[in-house]
């Protein structure tokens, strides 16, 4: 992914609300989060250190409050995943551009990935290019294939019946 081709769009339904290129996005307020992360299979990784732009700061830069209760994250590879708005705001999630003090490597979602550390890691969309507010909770890639709509690791919400 060439950084000059990178864009990130905030949308409400089909309508773009704000759009940033790489240099504009990197001028947004930077924050750090150090959190444990949880894969759906078995592993957890403790005290992972991330840097990026909090979703709160993305909404503030766009001049909006969450217009609906649900979002879909979309990625350059066609991946998508749904997350409630309440789980992305209030200092709980970011679009991360750095991991462990360095730019996120391409295999881990660089240049930028969603980070929602309190949900299973499939919710943390790699290679993110849009966040879209939706009127209804809408299944993404894995949720359409039987993964849980919410994905709370503490309640082991892996599959749709959990
Ligand atoms: N764009 C995109 N994001 C994605 C995925 C994917 O296939 N495409 N896989 C998800 C899954 S299932 C997991 S477990 C994590 C893996 O992140 P990692 O490669 O940094 O460990 O990314 C998530 N984000
Ligand atoms: Mo996964």
């Amino acid at each position: 992914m060439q950084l000059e081709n990178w864009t990130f769009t905030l949308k409400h339904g089909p309508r773009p609300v704000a759009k940033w290129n790489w240099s504009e996005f990197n001028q947004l307020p930077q924050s750090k989060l150090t959190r444990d992360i949880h894969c759906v299979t078995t592993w957890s990784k403790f005290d992972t250190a991330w840097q990026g732009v909090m979703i709160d700061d993305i909404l503030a830069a766009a001049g909006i409050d969450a217009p609906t209760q649900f979002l879909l994250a979309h990625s350059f590879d066609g991946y998508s995943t749904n997350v409630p708005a309440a789980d992305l705001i209030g200092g709980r999630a970011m679009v991360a551009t750095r991991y462990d003090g360095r730019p996120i490597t391409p295999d881990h979602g660089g240049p930028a990935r969603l980070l929602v550390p309190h949900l299973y890691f499939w919710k943390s969309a790699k290679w993110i290019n849009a966040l879209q507010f939706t009127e209804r909770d809408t299944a993404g890639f894995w949720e359409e294939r039987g993964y849980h709509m919410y994905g709370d690791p503490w309640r082991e919400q892996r599959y749709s019946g959990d």
Side-chain angles (χ1 to χ4, degrees):
M1 168 102 252
Q2 303 274 69
L3 292 180
E4 57 266 37
N5 297 330
W6 186 91
T7 58
F8 177 78
T9 308
L10 183 66
K11 298 170 86 176
H12 179 183
R15 196 166 50 83
V17 176
K19 186 170 182 173
W20 296 268
N21 65 26
W22 181 250
S23 72
E24 291 164 344
F25 191 80
N26 281 276
Q27 285 159 36
L28 297 177
Q30 295 287 313
S31 301
K32 292 183 177 180
L33 278 183
T34 297
R35 293 284 187 280
D36 301 342
I37 53 177
H38 311 278
C39 177
V40 71
T41 51
T42 46
W43 57 267
S44 295
K45 199 167 173 182
F46 303 104
D47 289 332
T48 62
W50 303 84
Q51 184 181 317
V53 184
M54 303 300 296
I55 309 304
D56 303 295
D57 290 322
I58 291 171
L59 297 188
I64 62 165
D65 291 319
T68 73
Q69 288 180 43
F70 304 103
L71 291 106
L72 276 170
H74 297 278
S75 300
F76 285 101
D77 64 338
Y79 188 81
S80 58
T81 189
N82 59 319
V83 186
D87 289 86
L88 293 188
I89 62 181
R92 305 181 84 191
M94 64 165 46
V95 171
T97 54
R98 300 178 74 82
Y99 172 71
D100 224 2
R102 294 191 191 84
I104 298 178
T105 55
D107 53 321
H108 289 299
R113 77 180 298 163
L114 187 62
L115 175 70
V116 197
H118 66 280
L119 299 180
Y120 273 129
F121 213 42
W122 88 77
K123 297 290 184 180
S124 291
K126 303 196 273 191
W127 314 296
I128 191 169
N129 66 8
L131 275 175
Q132 177 185 30
F133 283 98
T134 57
E135 301 304 322
R136 275 171 235 85
D137 196 11
T138 308
F141 180 85
W142 280 122
E143 296 83 11
E144 278 185 342
R145 289 161 178 78
Y147 276 37
H148 199 276
M149 286 294 273
Y150 184 59
D152 182 348
W154 302 107
R155 290 188 274 166
E156 300 199 33
Q157 293 174 336
R158 295 185 172 91
Y159 307 108
S160 55
D162 292 346

CSV table of all heavy atoms in Angstrom, one decimal, residues 37-41 43 45 50 74-81 104-109 112-114 120-128 141-142 147, ligand 1:
chain,number,residue,atom,x,y,z
A,37,ILE,N,-4.6,-7.9,24.2
A,37,ILE,CA,-5.5,-8.2,23.1
A,37,ILE,C,-5.8,-9.7,23.1
A,37,ILE,O,-5.0,-10.5,23.7
A,37,ILE,CB,-4.9,-7.8,21.8
A,37,ILE,CG1,-3.4,-8.3,21.6
A,37,ILE,CG2,-4.9,-6.3,21.6
A,37,ILE,CD1,-2.8,-8.0,20.3
A,38,HIS,N,-6.9,-10.1,22.5
A,38,HIS,CA,-7.4,-11.5,22.6
A,38,HIS,C,-7.8,-12.0,21.3
A,38,HIS,O,-8.7,-11.5,20.7
A,38,HIS,CB,-8.6,-11.5,23.6
A,38,HIS,CG,-8.3,-10.8,24.9
A,38,HIS,ND1,-7.7,-11.4,25.9
A,38,HIS,CD2,-8.6,-9.5,25.3
A,38,HIS,CE1,-7.5,-10.5,26.9
A,38,HIS,NE2,-8.1,-9.4,26.5
A,39,CYS,N,-7.1,-13.0,20.9
A,39,CYS,CA,-7.5,-13.7,19.6
A,39,CYS,C,-8.6,-14.6,19.9
A,39,CYS,O,-8.8,-15.2,21.0
A,39,CYS,CB,-6.3,-14.5,19.0
A,39,CYS,SG,-6.8,-15.4,17.5
A,40,VAL,N,-9.4,-14.9,18.9
A,40,VAL,CA,-10.6,-15.8,19.0
A,40,VAL,C,-10.2,-17.2,19.2
A,40,VAL,O,-10.9,-18.0,19.8
A,40,VAL,CB,-11.5,-15.6,17.8
A,40,VAL,CG1,-11.0,-16.3,16.6
A,40,VAL,CG2,-12.9,-16.2,18.1
A,41,THR,N,-9.0,-17.6,18.7
A,41,THR,CA,-8.6,-19.0,18.9
A,41,THR,C,-8.2,-19.3,20.3
A,41,THR,O,-9.0,-19.8,21.1
A,41,THR,CB,-7.4,-19.4,17.9
A,41,THR,OG1,-6.4,-18.4,18.1
A,41,THR,CG2,-7.9,-19.4,16.5
A,43,TRP,N,-5.0,-17.5,21.9
A,43,TRP,CA,-4.0,-16.6,22.5
A,43,TRP,C,-4.5,-15.3,23.0
A,43,TRP,O,-5.4,-14.7,22.4
A,43,TRP,CB,-2.8,-16.5,21.6
A,43,TRP,CG,-3.1,-15.9,20.2
A,43,TRP,CD1,-3.3,-16.6,19.1
A,43,TRP,CD2,-3.1,-14.5,19.9
A,43,TRP,NE1,-3.6,-15.7,18.0
A,43,TRP,CE2,-3.4,-14.4,18.5
A,43,TRP,CE3,-2.9,-13.3,20.6
A,43,TRP,CZ2,-3.5,-13.2,17.8
A,43,TRP,CZ3,-3.0,-12.1,19.9
A,43,TRP,CH2,-3.3,-12.0,18.5
A,45,LYS,N,-2.3,-11.5,24.2
A,45,LYS,CA,-1.0,-10.9,24.2
A,45,LYS,C,-1.2,-9.7,25.1
A,45,LYS,O,-2.1,-8.9,25.0
A,45,LYS,CB,-0.7,-10.5,22.8
A,45,LYS,CG,0.8,-10.2,22.6
A,45,LYS,CD,1.2,-10.1,21.1
A,45,LYS,CE,2.6,-9.7,21.0
A,45,LYS,NZ,3.0,-9.5,19.6
A,50,TRP,N,0.3,0.7,21.5
A,50,TRP,CA,-0.2,1.2,20.2
A,50,TRP,C,-0.2,2.7,20.2
A,50,TRP,O,-0.4,3.3,21.3
A,50,TRP,CB,-1.6,0.7,19.9
A,50,TRP,CG,-1.7,-0.8,19.9
A,50,TRP,CD1,-1.9,-1.6,21.0
A,50,TRP,CD2,-1.7,-1.6,18.8
A,50,TRP,NE1,-2.0,-2.9,20.6
A,50,TRP,CE2,-1.9,-3.0,19.2
A,50,TRP,CE3,-1.5,-1.4,17.4
A,50,TRP,CZ2,-1.8,-4.1,18.4
A,50,TRP,CZ3,-1.5,-2.5,16.6
A,50,TRP,CH2,-1.7,-3.8,17.1
A,74,HIS,N,-14.4,-0.9,7.3
A,74,HIS,CA,-14.1,-1.4,6.0
A,74,HIS,C,-12.6,-1.3,5.8
A,74,HIS,O,-11.9,-0.3,6.2
A,74,HIS,CB,-14.8,-0.6,4.9
A,74,HIS,CG,-16.3,-0.7,5.0
A,74,HIS,ND1,-17.0,-1.7,4.5
A,74,HIS,CD2,-17.2,0.2,5.6
A,74,HIS,CE1,-18.3,-1.5,4.8
A,74,HIS,NE2,-18.4,-0.4,5.4
A,75,SER,N,-12.1,-2.3,5.0
A,75,SER,CA,-10.6,-2.4,4.7
A,75,SER,C,-10.3,-2.4,3.3
A,75,SER,O,-11.2,-2.8,2.5
A,75,SER,CB,-10.0,-3.6,5.4
A,75,SER,OG,-10.3,-3.5,6.8
A,76,PHE,N,-9.1,-2.1,2.9
A,76,PHE,CA,-8.6,-2.2,1.5
A,76,PHE,C,-8.7,-3.5,0.9
A,76,PHE,O,-8.9,-3.7,-0.3
A,76,PHE,CB,-7.2,-1.6,1.4
A,76,PHE,CG,-7.1,-0.1,1.5
A,76,PHE,CD1,-6.7,0.4,2.7
A,76,PHE,CD2,-7.4,0.7,0.5
A,76,PHE,CE1,-6.6,1.8,2.8
A,76,PHE,CE2,-7.3,2.1,0.6
A,76,PHE,CZ,-6.9,2.6,1.8
A,77,ASP,N,-8.7,-4.6,1.7
A,77,ASP,CA,-8.8,-6.0,1.2
A,77,ASP,C,-10.2,-6.5,1.0
A,77,ASP,O,-10.4,-7.6,0.7
A,77,ASP,CB,-7.9,-7.0,2.1
A,77,ASP,CG,-8.5,-7.1,3.5
A,77,ASP,OD1,-9.2,-6.2,3.9
A,77,ASP,OD2,-8.2,-8.1,4.1
A,78,GLY,N,-11.2,-5.6,1.3
A,78,GLY,CA,-12.6,-6.0,1.2
A,78,GLY,C,-13.2,-6.5,2.5
A,78,GLY,O,-14.3,-6.8,2.6
A,79,TYR,N,-12.3,-6.6,3.5
A,79,TYR,CA,-12.8,-7.1,4.8
A,79,TYR,C,-13.7,-6.0,5.5
A,79,TYR,O,-13.5,-4.9,5.2
A,79,TYR,CB,-11.5,-7.3,5.7
A,79,TYR,CG,-11.8,-7.9,7.1
A,79,TYR,CD1,-11.9,-9.3,7.2
A,79,TYR,CD2,-11.8,-7.2,8.2
A,79,TYR,CE1,-12.1,-9.9,8.4
A,79,TYR,CE2,-12.0,-7.7,9.5
A,79,TYR,CZ,-12.1,-9.1,9.6
A,79,TYR,OH,-12.2,-9.7,10.8
A,80,SER,N,-14.6,-6.5,6.3
A,80,SER,CA,-15.4,-5.6,7.1
A,80,SER,C,-15.7,-6.2,8.4
A,80,SER,O,-15.7,-7.5,8.5
A,80,SER,CB,-16.7,-5.2,6.3
A,80,SER,OG,-17.4,-6.4,6.1
A,81,THR,N,-16.0,-5.4,9.4
A,81,THR,CA,-16.5,-6.0,10.7
A,81,THR,C,-17.3,-4.9,11.4
A,81,THR,O,-17.1,-3.7,11.2
A,81,THR,CB,-15.3,-6.4,11.6
A,81,THR,OG1,-15.7,-7.2,12.7
A,81,THR,CG2,-14.4,-5.3,12.0
A,104,ILE,N,3.2,0.3,12.0
A,104,ILE,CA,2.6,-1.1,11.9
A,104,ILE,C,3.0,-1.7,10.6
A,104,ILE,O,2.9,-1.1,9.5
A,104,ILE,CB,1.1,-1.0,12.0
A,104,ILE,CG1,0.6,-0.5,13.4
A,104,ILE,CG2,0.5,-2.5,11.8
A,104,ILE,CD1,-0.9,-0.3,13.5
A,105,THR,N,3.6,-2.9,10.7
A,105,THR,CA,4.0,-3.6,9.5
A,105,THR,C,2.8,-4.0,8.6
A,105,THR,O,1.7,-4.2,9.1
A,105,THR,CB,4.9,-4.9,9.8
A,105,THR,OG1,4.1,-5.7,10.7
A,105,THR,CG2,6.1,-4.5,10.6
A,106,PRO,N,3.0,-4.2,7.3
A,106,PRO,CA,1.9,-4.5,6.4
A,106,PRO,C,1.2,-5.8,6.8
A,106,PRO,O,0.0,-5.8,6.7
A,106,PRO,CB,2.6,-4.7,5.0
A,106,PRO,CG,3.8,-3.8,5.1
A,106,PRO,CD,4.3,-3.9,6.5
A,107,ASP,N,1.9,-6.8,7.3
A,107,ASP,CA,1.2,-8.1,7.6
A,107,ASP,C,0.3,-7.9,8.9
A,107,ASP,O,-0.7,-8.6,9.0
A,107,ASP,CB,2.2,-9.2,7.9
A,107,ASP,CG,3.3,-8.8,8.9
A,107,ASP,OD1,3.8,-7.7,8.8
A,107,ASP,OD2,3.7,-9.7,9.7
A,108,HIS,N,0.6,-6.9,9.7
A,108,HIS,CA,-0.3,-6.6,10.9
A,108,HIS,C,-1.2,-5.5,10.6
A,108,HIS,O,-1.8,-4.9,11.6
A,108,HIS,CB,0.6,-6.4,12.1
A,108,HIS,CG,1.2,-7.7,12.6
A,108,HIS,ND1,0.5,-8.8,13.0
A,108,HIS,CD2,2.5,-8.0,12.7
A,108,HIS,CE1,1.3,-9.7,13.4
A,108,HIS,NE2,2.6,-9.3,13.2
A,109,GLY,N,-1.4,-5.1,9.4
A,109,GLY,CA,-2.5,-4.1,9.1
A,109,GLY,C,-2.0,-2.7,8.7
A,109,GLY,O,-2.8,-1.8,8.5
A,112,ALA,N,-2.5,1.4,8.6
A,112,ALA,CA,-3.4,1.7,9.7
A,112,ALA,C,-4.4,0.6,9.9
A,112,ALA,O,-4.9,0.1,8.9
A,112,ALA,CB,-4.1,3.1,9.4
A,113,ARG,N,-4.7,0.3,11.2
A,113,ARG,CA,-5.7,-0.7,11.5
A,113,ARG,C,-6.6,-0.1,12.6
A,113,ARG,O,-6.2,0.7,13.4
A,113,ARG,CB,-5.1,-2.0,11.9
A,113,ARG,CG,-4.5,-2.0,13.3
A,113,ARG,CD,-3.9,-3.3,13.7
A,113,ARG,NE,-4.9,-4.4,13.7
A,113,ARG,CZ,-4.5,-5.7,13.7
A,113,ARG,NH1,-3.3,-6.0,13.8
A,113,ARG,NH2,-5.5,-6.6,13.7
A,114,LEU,N,-7.8,-0.7,12.7
A,114,LEU,CA,-8.6,-0.4,13.8
A,114,LEU,C,-8.1,-1.2,15.0
A,114,LEU,O,-7.6,-2.3,14.8
A,114,LEU,CB,-10.1,-0.9,13.5
A,114,LEU,CG,-11.1,-0.5,14.5
A,114,LEU,CD1,-11.3,1.0,14.7
A,114,LEU,CD2,-12.5,-1.1,14.1
A,120,TYR,N,-12.8,-9.3,20.8
A,120,TYR,CA,-11.9,-10.3,20.1
A,120,TYR,C,-11.2,-9.6,18.9
A,120,TYR,O,-11.8,-8.7,18.2
A,120,TYR,CB,-12.7,-11.5,19.6
A,120,TYR,CG,-12.9,-12.6,20.6
A,120,TYR,CD1,-14.1,-13.1,20.9
A,120,TYR,CD2,-11.7,-13.1,21.2
A,120,TYR,CE1,-14.2,-14.1,21.9
A,120,TYR,CE2,-11.9,-14.1,22.2
A,120,TYR,CZ,-13.1,-14.6,22.5
A,120,TYR,OH,-13.2,-15.7,23.4
A,121,PHE,N,-10.0,-10.1,18.5
A,121,PHE,CA,-9.2,-9.3,17.6
A,121,PHE,C,-9.7,-9.3,16.2
A,121,PHE,O,-9.2,-8.5,15.4
A,121,PHE,CB,-7.7,-9.9,17.7
A,121,PHE,CG,-6.7,-8.8,17.5
A,121,PHE,CD1,-6.8,-7.5,18.1
A,121,PHE,CD2,-5.6,-9.1,16.8
A,121,PHE,CE1,-5.8,-6.6,17.9
A,121,PHE,CE2,-4.6,-8.1,16.6
A,121,PHE,CZ,-4.7,-6.9,17.2
A,122,TRP,N,-10.6,-10.2,15.8
A,122,TRP,CA,-11.1,-10.1,14.5
A,122,TRP,C,-11.9,-8.7,14.3
A,122,TRP,O,-12.1,-8.3,13.1
A,122,TRP,CB,-12.0,-11.3,14.1
A,122,TRP,CG,-13.4,-11.2,14.4
A,122,TRP,CD1,-14.4,-10.5,13.7
A,122,TRP,CD2,-14.1,-11.9,15.5
A,122,TRP,NE1,-15.6,-10.7,14.3
A,122,TRP,CE2,-15.5,-11.5,15.4
A,122,TRP,CE3,-13.7,-12.7,16.5
A,122,TRP,CZ2,-16.4,-12.0,16.3
A,122,TRP,CZ3,-14.6,-13.2,17.4
A,122,TRP,CH2,-16.0,-12.8,17.3
A,123,LYS,N,-12.3,-8.1,15.4
A,123,LYS,CA,-13.0,-6.8,15.2
A,123,LYS,C,-12.0,-5.7,14.9
A,123,LYS,O,-12.4,-4.6,14.5
A,123,LYS,CB,-13.7,-6.4,16.6
A,123,LYS,CG,-14.8,-7.4,16.9
A,123,LYS,CD,-16.0,-7.3,16.0
A,123,LYS,CE,-17.1,-8.2,16.4
A,123,LYS,NZ,-18.3,-8.0,15.5
A,124,SER,N,-10.7,-5.9,15.1
A,124,SER,CA,-9.6,-4.9,14.9
A,124,SER,C,-9.2,-5.0,13.4
A,124,SER,O,-8.2,-5.6,13.1
A,124,SER,CB,-8.5,-5.1,15.8
A,124,SER,OG,-8.9,-4.8,17.2
A,125,ALA,N,-10.0,-4.4,12.5
A,125,ALA,CA,-9.8,-4.5,11.1
A,125,ALA,C,-8.4,-4.0,10.7
A,125,ALA,O,-8.1,-2.8,11.0
A,125,ALA,CB,-10.9,-3.7,10.3
A,126,LYS,N,-7.6,-4.8,10.0
A,126,LYS,CA,-6.4,-4.4,9.4
A,126,LYS,C,-6.6,-3.6,8.1
A,126,LYS,O,-7.7,-3.7,7.5
A,126,LYS,CB,-5.5,-5.6,9.1
A,126,LYS,CG,-5.2,-6.5,10.4
A,126,LYS,CD,-4.1,-7.4,10.2
A,126,LYS,CE,-4.5,-8.7,9.5
A,126,LYS,NZ,-3.4,-9.7,9.6
A,127,TRP,N,-5.6,-2.8,7.7
A,127,TRP,CA,-5.7,-2.0,6.4
A,127,TRP,C,-7.0,-1.3,6.3
A,127,TRP,O,-7.6,-1.2,5.2
A,127,TRP,CB,-5.5,-3.0,5.2
A,127,TRP,CG,-4.4,-3.9,5.4
A,127,TRP,CD1,-3.1,-3.6,5.6
A,127,TRP,CD2,-4.5,-5.4,5.6
A,127,TRP,NE1,-2.3,-4.8,5.7
A,127,TRP,CE2,-3.2,-5.9,5.7
A,127,TRP,CE3,-5.6,-6.3,5.5
A,127,TRP,CZ2,-2.9,-7.2,5.9
A,127,TRP,CZ3,-5.3,-7.6,5.7
A,127,TRP,CH2,-4.0,-8.1,5.9
A,128,ILE,N,-7.4,-0.6,7.4
A,128,ILE,CA,-8.7,0.1,7.4
A,128,ILE,C,-8.7,1.2,6.4
A,128,ILE,O,-7.7,1.9,6.3
A,128,ILE,CB,-9.1,0.5,8.8
A,128,ILE,CG1,-10.5,1.0,8.9
A,128,ILE,CG2,-8.1,1.6,9.3
A,128,ILE,CD1,-11.0,1.2,10.4
A,141,PHE,N,-17.5,-9.4,7.6
A,141,PHE,CA,-17.0,-10.6,6.9
A,141,PHE,C,-17.2,-11.9,7.8
A,141,PHE,O,-17.8,-12.8,7.4
A,141,PHE,CB,-15.5,-10.4,6.5
A,141,PHE,CG,-14.9,-11.6,5.8
A,141,PHE,CD1,-15.0,-11.8,4.5
A,141,PHE,CD2,-14.2,-12.5,6.6
A,141,PHE,CE1,-14.5,-12.9,3.8
A,141,PHE,CE2,-13.6,-13.6,5.9
A,141,PHE,CZ,-13.8,-13.8,4.6
A,142,TRP,N,-16.6,-11.9,8.9
A,142,TRP,CA,-16.6,-13.1,9.8
A,142,TRP,C,-18.0,-13.3,10.4
A,142,TRP,O,-18.4,-14.4,10.7
A,142,TRP,CB,-15.5,-13.1,10.9
A,142,TRP,CG,-14.2,-13.4,10.3
A,142,TRP,CD1,-13.0,-12.7,10.4
A,142,TRP,CD2,-13.8,-14.7,9.7
A,142,TRP,NE1,-12.0,-13.4,9.8
A,142,TRP,CE2,-12.4,-14.6,9.4
A,142,TRP,CE3,-14.5,-15.9,9.4
A,142,TRP,CZ2,-11.8,-15.6,8.8
A,142,TRP,CZ3,-13.8,-16.9,8.8
A,142,TRP,CH2,-12.5,-16.8,8.5
A,147,TYR,N,-19.4,-16.0,13.0
A,147,TYR,CA,-18.8,-15.4,14.2
A,147,TYR,C,-19.8,-14.5,14.9
A,147,TYR,O,-20.8,-14.1,14.3
A,147,TYR,CB,-17.5,-14.5,13.9
A,147,TYR,CG,-16.3,-15.4,13.7
A,147,TYR,CD1,-16.3,-16.6,13.1
A,147,TYR,CD2,-15.0,-14.8,14.1
A,147,TYR,CE1,-15.1,-17.3,13.0
A,147,TYR,CE2,-13.9,-15.5,14.0
A,147,TYR,CZ,-13.9,-16.8,13.4
A,147,TYR,OH,-12.7,-17.5,13.3
B,1,LIG,N1,-8.6,-6.3,6.8
B,1,LIG,C1,-8.5,-7.4,7.5
B,1,LIG,N2,-8.5,-7.3,8.9
B,1,LIG,C2,-8.4,-8.3,9.7
B,1,LIG,C3,-8.5,-9.6,9.2
B,1,LIG,C4,-8.5,-9.8,7.7
B,1,LIG,O1,-8.5,-10.9,7.2
B,1,LIG,N3,-8.5,-8.7,7.0
B,1,LIG,N4,-8.4,-10.7,10.0
B,1,LIG,C5,-8.9,-10.4,11.4
B,1,LIG,C6,-8.5,-11.5,12.3
B,1,LIG,S1,-9.5,-12.9,12.2
B,1,LIG,C7,-7.5,-11.4,13.3
B,1,LIG,S2,-7.3,-12.7,14.4
B,1,LIG,C8,-6.6,-10.3,13.3
B,1,LIG,C9,-5.2,-10.7,13.2
B,1,LIG,O2,-4.3,-9.6,13.4
B,1,LIG,P1,-2.7,-9.8,13.3
B,1,LIG,O3,-2.4,-10.3,11.9
B,1,LIG,O4,-2.1,-8.5,13.6
B,1,LIG,O5,-2.4,-10.8,14.4
B,1,LIG,O6,-6.9,-9.3,12.3
B,1,LIG,C10,-8.3,-9.2,12.0
B,1,LIG,N5,-8.4,-8.1,11.0
